[in-house]
Amino acid sequence: MTNTTSAEECLQKRYWYYFLASSLIVFCAGIAFILIYRLIIWLCCLVSTPPHGASPKVANHPGTVNPPPPKRKGSTTNANSTATNTTLQKPSDSEIGYITEAKDWAGELISGQTTTGRILVGLVFLLSIASLIIYFIDASEETVESCTPWAESPRQQVDLAFNVFFLIYFFIRFVAANDKLLFWLEVFSFVDYFTIPPSFVAIYLDRNWLGLRFLRALRLMSIPDILTYLNVLKTSTMIKLSQLVAFFISLWLASAGFLHLIENAGDPWVDFDNPQLLTYWECMYFLLVTMSTVGYGDVGAKTVLGKIFIVLFIMISIGMFASWIPEISDILGRRQKYGGCYKKERGKKHIVVCGHITFDSVSNFLKDFLHKDREDVDVEIVFIHKILPDLELEGLLKRHFTQVEFFHGTVMDANDLARVKIETADACLVLANKYCEDPDQEDAANIMRVISIKNFHAEIKVIVQLMQYHNKAYLLNIPSWDWKRGDDAVCVAELKLGFIAQSCLAPGFSTLMANLFTMRSDKPKSYLRSLYLSATDMPQWQCDYMRGTAMEMYTEYLSSSFNGMTFPEAAELCFSKLKLLLLAIEVRQEDGRESTLAINPGSKIKIENATQGFFIAESAEEVKRAFYYCKNCHAQATDVRAIKKCRCRPLAQFKKGVTAVIGFGNKLAANPLLSKKDRPTSGSKDKANAPVPLAAGAIASLLSKSKENQPTTPTVAALPPLSQESQDTSVCPGEEPRKFDSTGMFHWCPSRPLIEARMDREKASATVLCNHVVVCLFADANSPLIGLRNLVMPLRASNFHYQDLKHVVIVGNIEYLEREWRTLQNFPKITILAGSPLNRANLRAVNVNLCDMCVILSAKDKNLDDPHLVDKEAILCSLNIKAMTFDDSMGLIQASAQQAPGFLPPGFSPIGHSKRSRRGSVCGSNVPLITELANDSNVQFLDQDDEDDPDTELYMTQPFACGTAFAVSVLDSLMSTSYFNDNALTLIRTLITGGATPELEQILAEGAGMRGGYCTPSVLANRDRCRVAQVSLFEGPLAQFGEDGTYGSLFLFALRNLGILCIGLYRFRDTNESSSSPSSKRYVITNPPEDFKLLATDQVFCLAPCNLSQSSNSSPKDRREEINTHKKVPKVKKKKNKHKGNYSGYCPPLSF
């Protein structure tokens, strides 16, 4: 009772203003001191500054010092006088004083860059929290002002010790500050003014006042800085989150402390007679309810100061609460969803996909990677990107949540790479933006991603998608980049233009190959087969084509029953017995360390044990027949379904499972070609017993014979030649000009200036241009390079005779072509016509109606707001050519027989016994075209007479089925294809690039272009490789199957006697008499069934062998004898056609 009475008597007089005055005096005194110090410094500097125009005084020297005279031009200055003047000059910088040294010492002491500074900052924060906790306890147990003696209060004693430390830290910060006035006005400085001095006043007055000690809560705002110093916060998202949370909590706690002070003390003008006893925690509750605009009303402010504070607090806090809390919730929600680390399941593989991550790129990738035809794809896909997914991409990720995860981050950060477990990933795939404005910048970004990934984990397999072919050279500069380990680059320009180039040699081949390496159909194969058999809802041509789209490339190991067979024998067995098409095999070199890929190698190579084969089939189950086949158990089997696993041989020695091109394959060397010394010698022992194919000279003779029947103008001899290189007088007629690059893969010529290859419209009109390739190129002077070298290289492959090379005429912007020319100047037979491809005069000048193929390309910006407009030039050019008409000035329109009037263009033939005629080359619609599209949906604008739905997928549209359109989107599946099989991309490159090898890429990486090579046997041996060809069934060695023949008999005859491997057909769309207006369009049939009926108008896609090195080394006489020998091969007499007169205008194409 006595203590209570004495406390009440003590509180009769309050001394709160002493505590508050101590803080204000310190603040004002500091401000005054800083301003007076600055004023004195300014006055001292003003006095020491000499008047304007006066010369500086020098110590111990009367008068002024004259400045040195200006130095005259060409004169010399005495060194002694220069030295004298130098000694008289006052140094510009004064020596460093003790103040600067103290400042540097204090700066290092509190800097977060030093260990001492980080420890000191962390200690200050911890002591601030401890002091705040003491305040919470005092606010819960005591009144605002208490008369507890300082000596009897342990909490006050501990708080005083903390404040002494804070005072020392404040002094260090003050010394280290560059601007003392700004430091004195900082938030944390105010915290020290109103918390440190009152603790010393409390000792003098022997009482305690809670006062403004709640301001210690503002120290919580330094949490983000401290966590950054300690390297705890590493991402901008987490730093932002910590800043929002720290500021919100600091403001909340400090505001609650201020409300607690004024409500429990009362208003000073009424002598503190209206206090409201509220605990600190009740004040926190009240402010949170107020900020959230709920306002229960159970707690409120009663004092005037409290109400004024609440009004101001509402105006500030409600806006803050409404904006910050949702942002904090969003960051927390997204971090929980896309943050954290990848949790790898034991025994399960995962790949990391980065780069250009959008809804379109991810959906295209997942559609092919997770296709149901890929068996046992037990691989998780981890996407990582610096931009959070939008709602569309989020929905896609949710649909594949069992196999797909997304992480927010970048592969350029080692911490994010550790989060996605890149060191245990099976591979890392880097996607590119195919519609970017600057392809070189996109490639540079992807190469930097590869560098970061390889720097973090050198042994990981990386597959990167690049836009430009020349940028592949930069990958070779990465020390850990290793092609043999599986690292690979899918170059969009190389493959896209390679496909188009092969379509110039074999129209429709781009469609055939695209359907093979892409998992096309979303419907089961049984559905496609029912369509093919019933043909109730589709035209016959569409049923044939759709069946071909179900064909895909697979890899499987051949059973031991194939051991010792030559490739033609194995291919024949697979086709006739197993109903499979064998394309290529892996061939191990003599040392056994590396393997190479051999595509239709002929009888020179024999199959060894555990040889991997590349097949074309409908499903992986079908390809397993090659793995299970046993000559003891299945030799008499007539049903392929009976070829299953038997007990004759152990299967443990083989790898199990089929891979879709696509499956986990053995690593092969990047070079797909075999030189003679690398070929297994076992293949040559039984060479005499193998079927003897026609030599290259015989096939070339048949080609020459077919060209003799082509209609030519009577004045050809009088017209000027195409170019200088077309007439090589140093070579005898019929001989091969031995001018190849250093790898022996391509025809080569010395560098030519652009002016020599350029021609105007008049010269082009007077020049013989026939059976050539016209390239219509849309580009501006500053358009990004598309790499025309990739288009020309397959057309200049060394496995062609020089006279068989198709002349390439490029029509486009001359300023752009000047930039491309440095990569084209070493290729022969190239001509450039400056002008717009939309100009019909230019098209007529280059005889577009007589070309073998017209290619329409665009290098203009594809990043437009409306995606349908990216192909506007290409579509307009295609429609422009189709609308053109041509006269008979070149004598190409042949008169038909009276019973079948009309025009029959080259490559066309009558339809049965119909007397109707087709539109000929007099119409532009019959000009062979292939148009590159950037947007798949624009394919609907190419053909006005088709009935394709605008929503039809690209591969099901008529232009794509006919091989007249090619979109870059078909290359998306090559990323997953390359991952599943290291050899798949090698096989595709070999077929379409004409023989580009790593050796050539190393040469091109030097930047000097292609180099010429000597015609050594090793160089010429590289010419002996198969090539894509298209053989007509109307004339030539396969003409006997053009009427009433079957595809199976054609396949076996071509393989046994010619060494040709047939892979598909190119057939007219309208082949029946019911068509009222038959079209000149052809469509692609991939790997038809054995009993498929053939037509005389069909053309066969095939892989033809070449033996040019021997034919080049032999004399013309030897080659004639070789041809005559093969002419003795018996032929089946061809059935005579009733409408023979209609073939007078036919160009028989045994065109390779």
Side-chain angles (χ1 to χ4, degrees), residues 635-653:
Q636 305 300 325
T638 56
D639 189 355
V640 292
R641 292 174 294 182
I643 302 177
K644 297 180 180 180
K645 181 180 177 180
C646 65
R647 299 180 180 179
C648 296
R649 58 186 178 85
L651 296 179
Q653 58 181 330

Side-chain angles (χ1 to χ4, degrees), residues 1012-1034:
Y1014 296 101
C1015 295
T1016 61
S1018 60
V1019 171
L1020 294 177
N1022 287 335
R1023 304 186 66 193
D1024 297 340
R1025 59 190 191 274
C1026 76
R1027 65 191 185 194
V1028 178
Q1030 197 173 68
V1031 182
S1032 174
L1033 296 185
F1034 174 68

